[in-house]
Amino acid sequence: MLAKVLTSAVMGIDAYIIQVEVDINKGLPTFNIVGLPDTSVRESRDRVMSAIKNSELTFPTKRITVNMAPANVKKEGSSFDLAIALGLLAAHGQVRTDKLKDYIFLGELALDGAIRQVRGVLSIALALRQENIKGIMVPEQNKTEAGVIEDLKVYPVTHLRQVVDFLNDDKELPKFEFDLQEAFERNCHYEIDFSDVKGQMFAKRALEVAAAGGHNVLLIGSPGSGKTMLAKRLPTILPDMSIEESIETTKIHSVSGNLNGWSLVATRPFRSPHHTISDVALIGGGTYPKPGEVSLSHNGVLFLDELPEFHRNVLEVLRQPLEDGVVTISRALTSLTYPAKFMMVAAMNPCPCGYHGDNKQECICSLFKIQKYLSKVSGPLLDRIDIHVEVPRLKFNEMTTDTLAESSATVRDRVNQARTIQQERFQKEKHTYCNAHMQPKHLKKYCQLTGESQELLKNAINKLNLSARAYDRILKVARTISDLDNQPQIQSQHIAEALQYRSLDKNLFA
């Protein structure tokens, strides 16, 4: 007898429907799975066999063939166990087949028949909105993830026997109800705040400008000056996250298995990989490609601490996502594209010992060592960082002051106002949402200079010998500063402030 069951799999971050066909015939007892299964799928034979027997059901001792269509796409993971088990039971006559076509079944089976959580449920739920499917049966641990999608009936299940009884009309299966708006509001709060940072007014202002325009930032300072503390609080002043952005971000984390019990990622992601990370782990990939750190930072912040300590080939792969906002991974069988629209914040010491230019501790590095240390970061990568800002050591009175600094909410209100101006400006432009995304054609159109500001910029370019890309970056940052001031035209003070955020161009560490 032949039975068909629907399940789903994820390729990249997008899902597609898989039809599991189970055929049971007379012959020597065998259990074969075809349709390009990987090792984890082939191993489901033993899990399915034990789960059926331990659920007080009968495992057929006949010739069993399981086909997973489409057969030309590689199948990986353990999420097909439940569908295979139900198809086998239906083909053997232990499960009614009239309901099977109405549902998608996902879940890994334990040997006792319990159903364990799987990855990528949100991507699958999103794909099912376009299909004529009544509902989806998912492990109990994945119910909130699937419930994010409105107008989709989600049935959480905990055991194989529970699903069999429902399909045979022996028991009812309660539908899971999820309040998306309530979950979003509950999870959209940060545990840290910008007011935690004492002093560092110049660096705080630089981060506010960066958040307002979506600019990349490089923080330069001696150890203990507060670079990491500032970077961790940058997401708290970024524009409020929309539900659409939240679902898109959650989708990536779902595929990667990084939700950690959260139903929805409602705050801006902050990822801080160690400097020993490989280029594959940073950019994504592998035998079966998975999103890397740059994609997990999508709609948030990627923080690279001790920037010169990263391997050069690791830093160079950042060029494409910084420019395009996506990562394309090509393999022999397929080519996948992951979103990677993030703000990059990097931190570094001014020299190997960390105290060059420090007013308290003497630097022991030679000029050659300092230049060699700075040269570890390539010029093309530095040109893609709009803002270079010094973070000096705090003074004693700054550390002990009781004066409260501005909260993240106060700064975020100004950032939101500046972003609103940019959204109105770029509403007719494709793939341009903030000043940092402007192309050269946009600079001429939207970055109008006064005579005084143009003369100031000309003198700075000639004196500092800036590259054409650095010139573009200065214009973008100045445009953001003018948006924060609610000025339609870039004034000389906006150019002057933007020039202050190009520390490395001014050879301060030579």
Short mmCIF file of all heavy atoms in Angstrom, two decimals, residues 10-14 123 255 289-291 336-338:
data_model
loop_
_atom_site.label_atom_id
_atom_site.label_comp_id
_atom_site.label_asym_id
_atom_site.label_seq_id
_atom_site.Cartn_x
_atom_site.Cartn_y
_atom_site.Cartn_z
N VAL A 10 14.12 23.45 4.81
CA VAL A 10 14.63 24.81 4.60
C VAL A 10 15.88 24.74 3.74
O VAL A 10 16.78 23.94 4.00
CB VAL A 10 14.94 25.49 5.94
CG1 VAL A 10 15.55 26.87 5.72
CG2 VAL A 10 13.67 25.61 6.78
N MET A 11 15.93 25.60 2.73
CA MET A 11 17.14 25.76 1.92
C MET A 11 17.57 27.22 2.05
O MET A 11 16.86 28.11 1.60
CB MET A 11 16.89 25.41 0.45
CG MET A 11 18.12 25.60 -0.43
SD MET A 11 17.84 25.12 -2.14
CE MET A 11 17.72 23.34 -1.96
N GLY A 12 18.72 27.43 2.67
CA GLY A 12 19.09 28.80 3.00
C GLY A 12 18.23 29.26 4.17
O GLY A 12 18.29 28.71 5.26
N ILE A 13 17.41 30.29 3.93
CA ILE A 13 16.44 30.71 4.96
C ILE A 13 15.01 30.59 4.44
O ILE A 13 14.08 31.02 5.11
CB ILE A 13 16.71 32.15 5.42
CG1 ILE A 13 16.60 33.13 4.26
CG2 ILE A 13 18.06 32.26 6.10
CD1 ILE A 13 16.62 34.58 4.69
N ASP A 14 14.83 30.01 3.25
CA ASP A 14 13.51 29.84 2.67
C ASP A 14 13.12 28.37 2.68
O ASP A 14 13.98 27.49 2.55
CB ASP A 14 13.47 30.40 1.25
CG ASP A 14 13.74 31.89 1.21
OD1 ASP A 14 13.15 32.60 2.04
OD2 ASP A 14 14.54 32.34 0.36
N SER A 123 10.49 29.82 9.12
CA SER A 123 10.61 29.88 7.66
C SER A 123 9.57 28.99 6.99
O SER A 123 8.96 29.36 5.98
CB SER A 123 12.01 29.44 7.23
OG SER A 123 12.98 30.36 7.67
N VAL A 255 16.44 29.43 11.62
CA VAL A 255 17.18 28.50 10.76
C VAL A 255 18.49 28.09 11.41
O VAL A 255 18.93 26.95 11.30
CB VAL A 255 17.42 29.16 9.38
CG1 VAL A 255 18.39 28.33 8.55
CG2 VAL A 255 16.11 29.34 8.64
N PRO A 289 25.09 24.94 3.62
CA PRO A 289 25.28 26.34 4.03
C PRO A 289 24.31 26.78 5.11
O PRO A 289 23.11 26.50 5.08
CB PRO A 289 25.03 27.10 2.71
CG PRO A 289 25.41 26.13 1.65
CD PRO A 289 24.97 24.80 2.16
N LYS A 290 24.86 27.47 6.08
CA LYS A 290 24.10 28.05 7.19
C LYS A 290 24.45 29.54 7.29
O LYS A 290 25.53 29.96 6.89
CB LYS A 290 24.45 27.35 8.51
CG LYS A 290 23.98 25.91 8.60
CD LYS A 290 22.48 25.83 8.84
CE LYS A 290 22.03 24.43 9.24
NZ LYS A 290 22.37 23.40 8.28
N PRO A 291 23.56 30.36 7.83
CA PRO A 291 23.88 31.77 8.00
C PRO A 291 25.06 31.97 8.95
O PRO A 291 25.21 31.24 9.93
CB PRO A 291 22.59 32.36 8.61
CG PRO A 291 21.52 31.38 8.27
CD PRO A 291 22.18 30.04 8.24
N LEU A 336 23.14 30.24 -2.63
CA LEU A 336 22.19 30.79 -1.66
C LEU A 336 22.55 32.22 -1.33
O LEU A 336 23.73 32.60 -1.30
CB LEU A 336 22.19 29.95 -0.38
CG LEU A 336 21.82 28.48 -0.53
CD1 LEU A 336 22.02 27.76 0.79
CD2 LEU A 336 20.39 28.32 -1.00
N THR A 337 21.53 33.03 -1.08
CA THR A 337 21.73 34.42 -0.69
C THR A 337 21.08 34.67 0.66
O THR A 337 19.90 34.38 0.85
CB THR A 337 21.13 35.38 -1.74
OG1 THR A 337 21.78 35.18 -3.00
CG2 THR A 337 21.32 36.82 -1.31
N TYR A 338 21.87 35.18 1.60
CA TYR A 338 21.37 35.51 2.93
C TYR A 338 21.36 37.03 3.11
O TYR A 338 22.27 37.72 2.66
CB TYR A 338 22.27 34.91 4.02
CG TYR A 338 22.32 33.41 4.04
CD1 TYR A 338 23.51 32.73 3.77
CD2 TYR A 338 21.19 32.66 4.34
CE1 TYR A 338 23.57 31.35 3.80
CE2 TYR A 338 21.25 31.28 4.37
CZ TYR A 338 22.44 30.63 4.10
OH TYR A 338 22.48 29.26 4.12
#
